[in-house]
Amino acid sequence: MEDSNYIRVFTGSFIITQRIVQELEAAGINAIVKDESESGRLAGFGSSIQGQQDLYVNKDEQKAAAKIIEATASELDA
């Protein structure tokens, strides 16, 4: 994804990533989730241990996404 308009804005567990995706979608921001362990599992190479997921958004939406991610992470930490 180096030559795209998308930038990684978060890396975390499946549950937290999905919650952030919901918040981003509610704000009209489309996010892409990349999960290397799931991709490996589907190809027959992965293990049963779930890894971290990377969350990407369009570079134009990075600042708005960062605010939502920060607010959601703070809410989940409380």
Side-chain angles (χ1 to χ4, degrees):
M1 294 188 109
E2 291 83 19
D3 295 335
S4 75
N5 287 330
Y6 286 84
I7 186 165
R8 185 176 61 196
V9 292
F10 180 79
T11 300
S13 70
F14 171 81
I15 294 171
I16 294 172
T17 302
Q18 292 305 307
R19 172 64 189 273
I20 292 172
V21 168
Q22 287 178 339
E23 297 296 327
L24 291 171
E25 287 177 353
I29 298 173
N30 292 321
I32 295 174
V33 177
K34 185 176 179 182
D35 186 338
E36 294 288 338
S37 65
E38 182 65 9
S39 295
R41 184 191 70 78
L42 291 172
F45 305 117
S47 67
S48 61
I49 300 172
Q50 288 291 331
Q52 300 290 309
Q53 293 186 327
D54 294 326
L55 184 62
Y56 293 82
V57 298
N58 191 295
K59 290 178 182 178
D60 296 337
E61 301 173 319
Q62 180 181 4
K63 289 182 182 180
K67 291 178 184 178
I68 293 169
I69 292 166
E70 184 178 326
T72 304
S74 294
E75 179 183 316
L76 293 173
D77 285 340

